[in-house]
C-alpha cells in the first residue's frame, strides 16, 4: 500500500466495510455476462412516472436552477410534506420548523447521526441491517450495538432484547420498517412499547420509513412519531426513491422537533448546502400528483413477491410472504452449504443474483440466508426461478426443506 493510501483518515478507512467483499465476489461472476437476472440491488425497474419527469423539465425551463433558500427545502414542498404526514402517518408538524428536505434518506441518516452521536455513544440497531446504518454510526464516532431479528419471530423487533442492550452510553436506536433486508413490518404494539422505553430512558429514536408504501396483505404501517410517547424524541425519515421509483433524483426528507431540526439543518448545510432544486420540484409533483402510479407499482411488486416466495419454497428455500418492502430473506440451510457459496453457484450457473445474508449482519447466521430483491418484472422473476430450479436439482442436497 502506498503511504498516501495509508495516511487517509480512520473515519474514511472505516467506511470500507469488509461486508462489501461478499457482494463483490458474487458480482464479479456476472461481470460482462448477458441476460443476468439481477435481484441483488434494491433498485426499482420502473421509470419515474411521467408527470414527475414533466414537472422537473418545467422547473428547469422556468429557471429553478438556483440554490434553494431557505436551505431546509422549498416552502411548497415542506407544506405538501406536512399535509402528507398528517393524512397518512398521523404526524402533525409545523412545516416552517420541523421538516428538512435531504439528498435522499441516505443523507438524512447521516445528518441525524452526525447531529446526535458523540464519540463513545452507542446506537442500537436491528441486525440484519442496511449497511449504511452501522457505517453512519461509526462515521459519527459512535459504536453500533445490535439487536438480532430472528426468523422465529418473523424478523420483528424484540423490544425486551433492545432493553437488555441499553447502557449508560446508549444515545439512540435506529430501525427500518418496513424492513430491509428481511421484509418484515414492526407492529404498532411493539413500537408503543419501544416508544415508552426510549422516552423513559432518554434515548432518541431514528426511523427509516423509506418502504412505507410497499406494504402488502393489508398490513398496517405505523409511524412511531404518531405515538405521543415518541413525539419529541423521534427523527422520522422518508423517501421518494422506492415509492415513486426516483432513486437517481436524490431527494428525501426528515421530520423531528424544531429543536432537533435546527441542529440537523446546520449539518445538512455544511454537507450539501441544499438539496437539488429540480429534484425538489419533482418531489412536489410526486406528492401532489395522482397516486395511482404508486398503487400500480405496489400491486406489481405484490404479484412478484407471491410468485417468488411460492417458487423459492418449491425449490427448497424457506420463506414466508414478507409483508413489506421488496425483499425476500430466504433460509437456505436446506442446501447444506453457506449462502455465499450458493450465491456464487446461482450467479455462475443460473445467471441469477441474490445476496448472502452475511453482507447484512454481524451475527453468525448470515450464511443461512439469501436475499432476493423482487425489483425485476414478473417474467424475469419466473425466468430466475426456472433457471435456479435446473441448478438446484444438480446440488447434492438441493430441494430438501
Ligand atoms: N434506507 C434503506 C433501508 C434503503 O434500502 C435505501 C436504499 O436502498 C436507502 C435508505 C437509501 O434511500 P435514498 O435513495 O432515499 O437515499
Amino acid at each position: 500500500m502506498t503511504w498516501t493510501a495509508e495516511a487517509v483518515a480512520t473515519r474514511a478507512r472505516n467506511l470500507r466495510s469488509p461486508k462489501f467483499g461478499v457482494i463483490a465476489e458474487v458480482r464479479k461472476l456476472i461481470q460482462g455476462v448477458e441476460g443476468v437476472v439481477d435481484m441483488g440491488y434494491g433498485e426499482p425497474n420502473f421509470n419515474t412516472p411521467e408527470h414527475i419527469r414533466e414537472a422537473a423539465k418545467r422547473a428547469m425551463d422556468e429557471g429553478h436552477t438556483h440554490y434553494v433558500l431557505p436551505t431546509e427545502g422549498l416552502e411548497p414542498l415542506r407544506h405538501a410534506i406536512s399535509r402528507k404526514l398528517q393524512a397518512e402517518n398521523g404526524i402533525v408538524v409545523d412545516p416552517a420548523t420541523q421538516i428538512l428536505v435531504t439528498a435522499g434518506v441516505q443523507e438524512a441518516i447521516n445528518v441525524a447521526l452526525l447531529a446526535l452521536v458523540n464519540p463513545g455513544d452507542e446506537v442500537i440497531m436491528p441486525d440484519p441491517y442496511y449497511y449504511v446504518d452501522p457505517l453512519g454510526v461509526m462515521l459519527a464516532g459512535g459504536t453500533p450495538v445490535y439487536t438480532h431479528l430472528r426468523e422465529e419471530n418473523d424478523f420483528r423487533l424484540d423490544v425486551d432484547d433492545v432493553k437488555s442492550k441499553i447502557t449508560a452510553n446508549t444515545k439512540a436506536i435506529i430501525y427500518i420498517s418496513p424492513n430491509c433486508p428481511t421484509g418484515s413490518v414492526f407492529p404498532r404494539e411493539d413500537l408503543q412499547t419501544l416508544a415508552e422505553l426510549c422516552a423513559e430512558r432518554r434515548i432518541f429514536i431514528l426511523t427509516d420509513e423509506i418502504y412505507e408504501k410497499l406494504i402488502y396483505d393489508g398490513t398496517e404501517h405505523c409511524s412511531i412519531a404518531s405515538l405521543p410517547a415518541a413525539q419529541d424524541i423521534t427523527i422520522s425519515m422518508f423517501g421518494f426513491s422506492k415509492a415513486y421509483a426516483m432513486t437517481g433524483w436524490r431527494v428525501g426528507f426528515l421530520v423531528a422537533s424544531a429543536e432537533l431540526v435546527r441542529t440537523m439543518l446546520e449539518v445538512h448545510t455544511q454537507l450539501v448546502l441544499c438539496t437539488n432544486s429540480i429534484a425538489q420540484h419533482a418531489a412536489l409533483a410526486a406528492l401532489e400528483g395522482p397516486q395511482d402510479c404508486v398503487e400500480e407499482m405496489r400491486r406489481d411488486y405484490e404479484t412478484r413477491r407471491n410468485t417468488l416466495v411460492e417458487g423459492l419454497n418449491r425449490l427448497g428455500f424457506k420463506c414466508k410472504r414478507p409483508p413489506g418492502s421488496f425483499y425476500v430473506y430466504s433460509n437456505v440451510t436446506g442446501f447444506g452449504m453457506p449462502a455465499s457459496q450458493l450465491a456464487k453457484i446461482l450467479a455462475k450457473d443460473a445467471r441469477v443474483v441474490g445476496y448472502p445474508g452475511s453482507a447484512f449482519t454481524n451475527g453468525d447466521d448470515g450464511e443461512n440466508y439469501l436475499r432476493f430483491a423482487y425489483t425485476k418484472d414478473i417474467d424475469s422473476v419466473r425466468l430466475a426461478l426456472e433457471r435456479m430450479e435446473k441448478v438446484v436439482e444438480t446440488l447434492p442436497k438441493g430441494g430438501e426443506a
Side-chain angles (χ1 to χ4, degrees):
M1 201 188 281
T2 61
W3 78 264
T4 50
E6 266 177 61
V8 298
T10 313
R11 81 174 74 81
R13 198 192 293 250
N14 284 346
L15 294 178
R16 293 179 203 152
S17 169
K19 304 280 173 202
F20 296 151
V22 185
I23 288 176
E25 280 176 33
V26 176
R27 300 210 69 83
K28 213 159 102 190
L29 296 170
I30 52 145
Q31 232 169 32
V33 179
E34 296 275 308
V36 173
V37 182
D38 188 349
M39 298 204 279
Y41 289 130
E43 170 70 70
N45 62 313
F46 300 104
N47 199 1
T48 304
E50 191 179 354
H51 66 280
I52 301 175
R53 286 183 274 134
E54 288 302 324
K57 289 180 203 164
R58 253 193 330 273
M60 258 186 267
D61 291 342
E62 287 170 4
H64 297 295
T65 53
H66 303 271
Y67 292 124
V68 176
L69 296 173
T71 54
E72 51 263 49
L74 283 181
E75 200 180 319
L77 176 57
R78 282 182 287 121
H79 280 267
I81 289 170
S82 89
R83 286 194 296 275
K84 171 251 181 295
L85 288 170
Q86 185 160 4
E88 295 180 0
N89 305 87
I91 304 175
V92 180
V93 290
D94 173 6
T97 57
Q98 290 189 258
I99 293 168
L100 176 60
V101 180
T102 56
V105 173
Q106 189 92 355
E107 195 222 343
I109 294 167
N110 287 292
V111 160
L113 291 170
L114 287 170
L116 294 182
V117 175
N118 277 320
D121 285 348
E122 293 170 3
V123 178
I124 298 174
M125 68 183 68
D127 173 335
Y129 44 71
Y130 176 49
Y131 74 95
V132 166
D133 294 351
L135 294 183
V137 171
M138 288 190 273
L139 187 64
T143 306
V145 173
Y146 301 101
T147 175
H148 200 51
L149 300 182
R150 287 172 293 111
E151 187 182 353
E152 317 82 85
N153 193 28
D154 290 334
F155 299 114
R156 292 195 302 244
L157 194 68
D158 177 345
V159 185
D160 285 334
D161 190 60
V162 172
K163 195 170 179 180
S164 75
K165 300 285 163 61
I166 296 174
T167 72
N169 296 323
T170 306
K171 177 60 77 72
I173 176 166
I174 180 168
Y175 74 80
I176 310 162
S177 179
N179 187 254
C180 163
T182 68
S184 66
V185 174
F186 300 168
R188 173 179 291 268
E189 49 292 6
D190 293 350
L191 298 181
Q192 180 65 46
T193 314
L194 180 72
E196 285 160 17
L197 174 68
C198 291
E200 188 197 319
R201 306 292 287 269
R202 300 191 167 192
I203 294 168
F204 290 108
I205 303 170
L206 278 59
T207 72
D208 179 341
E209 302 180 40
I210 193 164
Y211 293 103
E212 63 166 339
K213 305 241 178 192
L214 298 182
I215 197 151
Y216 317 107
D217 314 319
T219 309
E220 183 202 22
H221 168 64
C222 173
S223 290
I224 199 167
S226 68
L227 308 175
Q231 215 167 36
D232 297 331
I233 57 172
T234 300
I235 300 171
S236 316
M237 303 178 279
F238 297 88
F240 295 89
S241 290
K242 315 289 176 170
Y244 297 94
M246 288 177 70
T247 48
W249 297 77
R250 312 312 306 130
V251 60
F253 58 94
L254 62 76
V255 188
S257 70
E259 196 178 76
L260 288 177
V261 167
R262 212 174 306 128
T263 307
M264 289 188 284
L265 175 60
E266 271 153 25
V267 181
H268 167 74
T269 309
Q270 168 70 12
L271 292 179
V272 300
L273 217 175
C274 63
T275 300
N276 178 299
S277 168
I278 305 304
Q280 293 199 47
H281 283 274
L284 179 59
L287 287 185
E288 292 199 321
Q291 300 299 305
D292 31 331
C293 51
V294 178
E295 176 57 12
E296 272 166 33
M297 289 190 269
R298 191 200 66 79
R299 273 208 302 268
D300 216 291
Y301 285 125
E302 189 165 23
T303 308
R304 302 170 191 185
R305 177 201 65 160
N306 297 349
T307 302
L308 182 63
V309 167
E310 193 198 59
L312 287 174
N313 280 296
R314 194 164 24 92
L315 267 55
F317 297 79
K318 265 197 315 175
C319 48
K320 291 189 187 161
R321 283 182 174 179
S325 75
F326 45 43
Y327 303 105
V328 173
Y329 201 60
S330 62
N331 184 316
V332 297
T333 47
F335 293 101
M337 67 175 78
S340 50
Q341 190 182 342
L342 182 62
K344 284 185 207 161
I345 292 173
L346 293 177
K348 204 162 134 300
D349 299 340
R351 289 179 293 147
V352 173
V353 178
Y355 288 159
S358 45
F360 312 107
T361 179
N362 243 43
D364 50 18
D365 70 346
E367 287 292 346
N368 294 345
Y369 298 96
L370 206 53
R371 186 194 83 170
F372 294 100
Y374 43 97
T375 45
K376 294 288 175 279
D377 64 26
I378 188 73
D379 289 341
S380 304
V381 171
R382 289 201 186 104
L383 179 65
L385 287 167
E386 274 168 33
R387 287 194 194 155
M388 288 197 288
E389 185 160 17
K390 287 197 188 110
V391 172
V392 299
E393 274 169 7
T394 67
L395 300 177
K397 290 195 145 192
E400 269 178 38

